[in-house]
Amino acid sequence: MIEYKNVGVSFGKFNVLSNVNFHVEKGDFFHIVGPNGSGKTTLVKTLVGLLKQSEGTIDINTKNMGYLPQKLNLKNLIPMTVQEVIYSGFKKPKLFPSKSECQLIKDWLKKMEIEDLFGHSMNYLSGGQQQRVYLIRALISEPDVLILDEPTSALDPSFREKFYILLHEIQRNNKTTIIHVTHDLTDAIKENCKIMYVDQTIKFIGSYEDFNKFEHRGHHHD
């Protein structure tokens, strides 16, 4: 579904990523880890088209992707309500959502345990609530590929485990491919997931079991 071939990203003389080669299959749960400044977010931005690689090729066999960035830009969206922000994530939003579309939004808000925020302004939400709203926006169109850059950074610990259970249900039931950038694999790991360790280039790709052996040889992720 996604393949990187000898991809590099440079800013002037500084190489952020070099010789990046990997592929993601349909239905994969693909975790990307690595130290701060290792190029994880840069890699994801090349995937969603926010950055252009300096060399190499990126092949993506779908146009239906959902994306949650690491840092949310809320300046232009503050007057919008929760309903409006989520509705903007539909594939073909109209001027006003239908009754069934509103019900779908409410169902997702309930899954995320913020069902009372439907008509609230984004301006009055906490960071964790805003992050849940944008998670729903990324999920609402049932993307073939869901790309999450540090999706739990503002979520309270009590909800993180529930969030990852929900993600694995989506992956299993919808055959959704999930690419997940994280510093903490504690709650995220389930069977058959893949780990990729990035530090300017790819240092490791494999199973979680093999990743633990890789770490024990002296490599650690934040």
Side-chain angles (χ1 to χ4, degrees), residues 30-183:
F30 198 86
H31 301 283
I32 301 176
V33 297
N36 287 329
S38 61
K40 302 186 300 297
T41 293
T42 297
L43 190 153
V44 165
K45 285 183 175 180
T46 62
L47 181 56
V48 297
L50 293 176
L51 279 177
K52 178 70 176 174
Q53 72 269 25
S54 307
E55 57 188 19
T57 59
I58 302 171
D59 295 324
I60 303 170
N61 294 320
T62 181
K63 293 182 179 179
N64 185 16
M65 295 195 294
Y67 172 52
L68 180 74
Q70 184 178 21
K71 294 180 180 178
L72 302 175
N73 183 9
L74 299 172
K75 290 181 181 178
N76 298 326
L77 296 172
I78 293 250
M80 294 179 74
T81 66
V82 167
Q83 174 203 334
E84 291 168 336
V85 169
I86 296 173
Y87 188 55
S88 69
F90 279 66
K91 289 179 182 176
K92 294 180 179 179
K94 300 180 177 64
L95 188 59
F96 298 105
S98 66
K99 186 179 290 186
S100 62
E101 288 170 333
C102 284
Q103 187 58 53
L104 180 59
I105 293 170
K106 289 176 180 178
D107 291 343
W108 270 105
L109 289 170
K110 188 172 183 179
K111 286 181 185 178
M112 290 290 182
E113 300 183 358
I114 51 172
E115 59 265 38
D116 57 330
L117 299 181
F118 180 78
H120 285 224
S121 169
M122 292 292 289
N123 193 31
Y124 297 105
L125 272 57
S126 68
Q129 289 170 332
Q130 290 173 352
Q131 195 159 30
R132 293 190 206 191
V133 170
Y134 276 91
L135 282 167
I136 296 170
R137 186 183 183 278
L139 288 163
I140 201 82
S141 65
E142 296 185 347
D144 296 325
V145 181
L146 179 62
I147 302 158
L148 305 171
D149 192 353
E150 301 282 0
T152 62
S153 59
L155 298 183
D156 56 276
S158 64
F159 186 74
R160 285 179 194 169
E161 185 177 358
K162 295 176 185 176
F163 167 69
Y164 283 118
I165 290 171
L166 176 62
L167 277 190
H168 284 281
E169 286 176 355
I170 291 167
Q171 179 219 9
R172 183 176 64 252
N173 296 337
N174 299 351
K175 306 299 183 198
T176 304
T177 304
I178 298 176
I179 297 173
H180 173 237
V181 177
T182 184
H183 280 88

Side-chain angles (χ1 to χ4, degrees), residues 1-16:
M1 180 168 271
I2 295 167
E3 185 170 12
Y4 275 55
K5 300 175 184 175
N6 302 314
V7 170
V9 179
S10 301
F11 299 117
K13 294 182 179 180
F14 180 62
N15 294 326
V16 182

